[in-house]
Amino acid sequence: MKEEQTKILAKDLEDCLGIPNIIARILVNRGFLTPHEAEVFLFPKIEDLSDPFLLPDCEKGIRVLIDTMKNKRHICLYGDYDADGITSCALMVNFLNKLNVKASIYIPERKEGYGLNMEAIKKLKKDKVDLIICLDCGSANMEEIKFGLEMGIKTIIIDHHEVPDALPPAEAVINPKRRDSLFPTRDLAACGVTFFFLWALRRVIHKEGLSDGNINLKNELDLVTIGTLGDMVPLIKDNRILTKMGMEIMKKRPKQWLKAFYKENLLPRSELNEFSLNFIVIPRINAAGRVSMPEESLDFLVTEKESESIRLLKTLQEANNLRQRIGEKILKECKEEIMAQGLDKKNTIVLFNRDWHIGVIGIVAQKLAELYKKPSLVITEVDGICKGSARGIEEIDLFEIMSSLSHIFIRFGGHRLACGFSLKKEDIPLLKERFEYTTGNIILKRQEVYFDTHADFDELDGDFASHLEVMSPFGIGNPRPFLMITPHEVTLMNSNRVKITDKSFRQWYGYINNTVNLPEKIKEGQNLIVQPIIKEEMGNKFINLNVKAVL
C-alpha cells in the first residue's frame, strides 16, 4: 500500500475511533482498513463471534449427545494430555456438571501416545462406555473408531488437527479444518471448537426445555484462553475474541485455579497477561501430562475448593520443576549433537536418543526450532517404537512436509507448526534424509526485516501505551508491534540491556537479543527495529524498547 493511502486511512481510524495515529497506522498496515474492522479488533464483543452451527456435524453431534444423556448412557470424555486437551475436557466437565451429567474421564499417558488407542477402547468397553467424546484428538483415528463401533461404542470427535481425506466413522466429526467446513476461523484450538460446540448445545437444550438456562459459558473463557495460548494458534478472528474476553474475565472474576496462583505468589495480580500465562501458568498445566498424571491438571482447573487447588498446584509445581530439569539436560545434549553433526548448517534438525523422556521432547523440539530457526524433530524410544515430536517455523507448513513423508511413519498427526509421529528405528536415517531434502526444496529466502510503521519518539507517550495494551493479547498472528525508530545514540549495558538516547536526549531502556549485532557506534540516521513493552514499577507505567534489528 502506498504511503499516502496509508496516511488517509490511518487518519480516518484516528478520527472515528479516537485512537493515536501511530496505533491507527499499525492497524492499517495489518489490514484493518475501515473503522468497523479496527473497532471489532480492538474492542471485540461476544456478538462478534461466529455462528457455532457453521461447524461441520455440529447439529449431528448435539443430537447424539442429547439422546445419550436422555437415555442415561455412559459417556466418556477422552482428551489429550496437553493444555489444549486438558482445558477442552475441563470445559466439557463443567458444562455437563451443570446438567447433573457425570461423565468418566480418560486422558492417556504420554507413553500411550497421542489420540485413541485400541487398549484404551478395550478398557472403556469393560467399563460399559456407550459414547466417547474425543477432545483435541480423534480426527486421524480411523481404525480405532471402527474398532470402537464393532465393540458397540459410538464416538463424537471435537478436534482441530488436520483431517485425512477419508473421515473416520464417528457419529460426528466436528473440526473446522474439514474441507466442507463453513466456519470462518479454520485455526481454532480444540478448546475453541469445544466452546463453540457447547454454545450451540446450550441453545438447543434451552430451546427444548432441557435446562433452566443457568449456564454462563462466558465464565468459561478463562479455560479457552489457556488452551488457545497453549496451542499457539493464530490470535486472529474468533481466537482473538475468545482470548481477549477470557483475559477480561480472569481479571474481573478469577476462578479458584487462578486464585491459587495468586495465593502461592507464583503470579502477581498486576501481571496477568499473555506473557505470564505462557511462561507461568501453561507450563504448569502441561507439566503433569509430560512427567506425571494429566488428570491432576484437569482436577486443578475444575475444583472449587481452595485447599484442593493449593494442594494440586503444589503437585503441578513439583512436576514442572522435574520437567525443567529433564528438559535442560536433553536440550544440552541436543546442542552438543547439533554441533557434532554440523546440523546448525543444515535446513533441518533431526535428533534421536532412546533415553530421552517422551514427555519433554516436544518442549525441546520447540526450543530448538526457536533457537536455530529450523524445523526440528526430536525422537525417543518407548516400548520398542520410536516416537517423536516435530516443531516448525512460521515460514513453512510443517504438516504439509510431514504428510509428504507419511509412508515413513507408523502414525502421525498434527497441524502447521507442530506434529507428533511414530516410526521404526531403522527408518530414522531415511526420515532424516528425506526431511532435510523436502524442507530444503521449499525453504524460503531470508525474510526481509519487517516493521509495522516508522515511529517518532514523541509518539511513544501514555496514550500510545494504553492503546498498545488494548491491542493485546499478543502472539502468533498478532505479534507485538514492530516500530522503526531513529535514535541519536545506543549504548549496550550489562546483561543485554540497552540505553537508547533520542534526538531530544531523552533516555529509553530495553533489551537486545544475542542474535542482534549491535555496532560499537550507531551512525547518524541509522534505524532500529524495536518492540515496545509496557513496564510497571511502583504504580508507574513506562515504555521499554526491546531491540530486534539494526538496519
Side-chain angles (χ1 to χ4, degrees):
M1 186 182 297
K2 292 181 180 178
E3 188 176 348
E4 193 58 38
Q5 189 179 5
T6 299
K7 284 182 180 179
I8 293 169
L9 291 169
K11 188 70 171 69
D12 189 30
L13 298 191
E14 178 186 9
D15 293 342
C16 291
L17 301 178
I19 60 178
N21 190 268
I22 182 174
I23 296 290
R25 298 198 307 272
I26 293 168
L27 292 173
V28 168
N29 285 325
R30 291 190 175 190
F32 302 99
L33 306 182
T34 68
H36 174 71
E37 291 172 344
E39 185 175 24
V40 169
F41 173 80
L42 292 173
F43 312 108
K45 302 184 291 293
I46 198 83
E47 295 81 11
D48 297 320
L49 287 170
S50 299
D51 180 355
F53 289 99
L54 292 175
L55 283 168
D57 283 358
C58 186
E59 293 185 63
K60 286 171 65 177
I62 287 170
R63 290 270 49 109
V64 171
L65 180 53
I66 287 176
D67 290 346
T68 305
M69 291 190 294
K70 279 182 175 179
N71 293 311
K72 301 190 184 303
R73 300 289 188 186
H74 187 173
I75 299 168
C76 175
L77 307 180
Y78 193 109
D80 189 21
Y81 35 62
D82 67 0
D84 191 18
I86 296 292
T87 52
S88 299
C89 282
L91 283 163
M92 191 66 75
V93 167
N94 287 346
F95 190 95
L96 294 178
N97 282 345
K98 295 271 195 326
L99 298 175
N100 296 315
V101 174
K102 299 299 178 187
S104 57
I105 310 290
Y106 192 99
I107 304 175
E109 295 181 44
R110 289 265 169 176
K111 63 184 180 182
E112 292 180 65
Y114 166 77
L116 283 170
N117 65 76
M118 300 294 193
E119 292 305 312
I121 292 172
K122 290 176 186 175
K123 181 180 183 306
L124 296 180
K125 178 60 180 177
K126 284 183 182 177
D127 294 341
K128 299 182 179 178
V129 167
D130 299 295
L131 175 67
I132 297 172
I133 301 179
C134 290
L135 298 161
D136 195 23
C137 60
S139 292
N141 290 125
M142 175 73 76
E143 295 306 315
E144 291 81 1
I145 289 169
K146 276 185 184 175
F147 180 66
L149 271 178
E150 292 166 5
M151 305 278 280
I153 303 176
K154 295 179 178 180
T155 307
I156 294 172
I157 296 170
I158 301 176
D159 193 18
H160 74 128
H161 291 88
E162 297 291 344
V163 181
D165 291 334
L167 294 177
E171 304 303 304
V173 180
I174 303 163
N175 187 329
K177 287 192 172 75
R178 278 178 51 168
R179 290 183 180 178
D180 59 345
S181 176
L182 300 176
F183 198 81
T185 305
R186 185 178 188 272
D187 290 315
L188 286 176
C191 60
V193 185
T194 305
F195 174 86
F196 278 104
F197 173 76
L198 293 177
W199 188 18
L201 174 62
R202 189 189 68 171
R203 286 188 195 174
V204 173
I205 61 176
H206 182 63
K207 183 179 178 182
E208 297 184 4
L210 302 174
S211 148
D212 59 9
N214 189 28
I215 301 176
N216 187 350
L217 276 171
K218 195 173 179 181
N219 287 337
E220 305 298 322
L221 288 176
D222 60 333
L223 298 173
V224 181
T225 301
I226 295 297
T228 298
L229 292 176
D231 230 52
M232 297 188 299
V233 294
L235 297 182
I236 57 174
K237 301 179 182 177
D238 290 298
N239 288 333
R240 171 169 172 79
I241 299 170
L242 294 170
T243 53
K244 180 82 170 171
M245 298 187 71
M247 296 290 292
E248 292 169 1
I249 290 290
M250 281 187 264
K251 289 172 181 176
K252 290 177 184 175
R253 297 190 295 276
K255 285 192 195 157
Q256 185 53 53
W257 69 263
L258 184 52
K259 290 178 182 176
F261 272 97
Y262 293 152
K263 184 152 190 177
E264 291 297 294
N265 296 317
L266 290 170
L267 173 61
R269 281 179 182 266
S270 62
E271 294 181 18
L272 179 63
N273 53 38
E274 67 274 15
F275 181 86
S276 59
L277 292 178
N278 276 319
F279 290 94
I280 297 174
V281 174
I282 292 168
R284 286 160 178 80
I285 302 299
N286 273 328
R290 295 188 187 283
V291 298
S292 182
M293 300 296 291
E295 288 89 349
E296 293 168 339
S297 291
L298 175 61
D299 293 342
F300 171 66
L301 289 174
V302 301
T303 187
E304 295 178 358
K305 297 176 182 176
E306 180 180 345
S307 59
E308 181 74 354
S309 68
I310 297 294
R311 181 188 69 79
L312 286 166
L313 180 54
K314 288 178 178 176
T315 301
L316 298 184
Q317 179 73 352
E318 290 170 7
N320 192 51
N321 290 340
L322 175 60
R323 187 271 304 169
Q324 285 177 324
R325 292 195 297 273
I326 296 171
E328 286 166 4
K329 180 176 180 292
I330 296 175
L331 183 61
K332 181 174 178 289
E333 292 173 3
C334 284
K335 288 179 178 178
E336 290 170 355
E337 277 296 307
I338 287 167
M339 296 311 295
Q341 297 182 34
L343 297 181
D344 56 320
K345 298 177 179 64
K346 300 279 190 180
N347 294 314
T348 61
I349 292 170
V350 181
L351 294 170
F352 166 74
N353 186 314
R354 68 189 304 273
D355 297 323
W356 286 340
H357 195 294
I358 183 66
V360 181
I361 58 173
I363 291 178
V364 174
Q366 181 66 40
K367 288 187 176 178
L368 293 177
E370 291 171 358
L371 188 62
Y372 294 96
K373 304 289 187 286
K374 305 173 192 293
S376 300
L377 277 57
V378 181
I379 308 167
T380 187
E381 189 174 331
V382 180
D383 298 332
I385 297 293
C386 290
K387 298 186 176 183
S389 283
R391 295 296 183 271
I393 56 176
E394 275 293 321
E395 295 88 342
I396 65 170
D397 187 329
L398 178 66
F399 184 82
E400 187 178 315
I401 295 173
M402 299 292 278
S403 296
S404 71
L405 306 176
S406 60
H407 58 284
I408 300 175
F409 303 121
I410 298 171
R411 291 178 66 179
F412 97 99
H415 43 79
R416 191 178 183 278
L417 288 172
C419 293
F421 59 92
S422 59
L423 76 167
K424 296 176 182 175
K425 186 175 180 180
E426 57 265 30
D427 287 334
I428 292 177
L430 176 62
L431 171 62
K432 192 170 184 176
E433 176 195 324
R434 299 309 301 169
F435 188 60
E436 171 71 15
Y437 175 79
T438 306
T439 305
N441 281 342
I442 65 170
I443 213 80
L444 302 178
K445 291 183 281 186
R446 271 301 157 203
Q447 279 191 308
E448 293 180 8
V449 176
Y450 167 83
F451 65 95
D452 288 287
T453 187
H454 190 284
D456 190 282
F457 283 96
D458 289 338
E459 294 183 286
L460 308 182
D461 55 15
D463 197 21
F464 166 75
S466 62
H467 281 87
L468 180 66
E469 291 182 317
V470 174
M471 288 186 67
S472 70
F474 298 113
I476 292 171
N478 183 40
R480 185 172 290 278
F482 292 87
L483 307 177
M484 179 188 283
I485 60 171
T486 309
H488 172 71
E489 186 179 45
V490 181
T491 306
L492 185 62
M493 303 166 70
N494 294 331
S495 304
N496 282 12
R497 285 201 78 200
V498 291
K499 179 172 70 176
I500 300 171
T501 306
D502 65 24
K503 290 175 182 177
S504 298
F505 299 100
R506 292 170 297 189
Q507 293 176 344
W508 308 71
Y509 293 89
Y511 288 88
I512 186 167
N513 290 342
N514 287 323
T515 55
V516 178
N517 184 24
L518 184 68
E520 288 186 18
K521 186 171 179 61
I522 293 288
K523 299 173 187 175
E524 185 69 30
Q526 192 161 10
N527 295 316
L528 301 182
I529 304 297
V530 299
Q531 283 185 299
I533 310 284
I534 310 303
K535 295 289 184 180
E536 184 172 347
E537 287 184 10
M538 306 294 288
N540 295 317
K541 291 185 178 181
F542 55 94
I543 299 172
N544 264 18
L545 299 174
N546 290 349
V547 179
K548 298 298 176 180
V550 179
L551 304 183

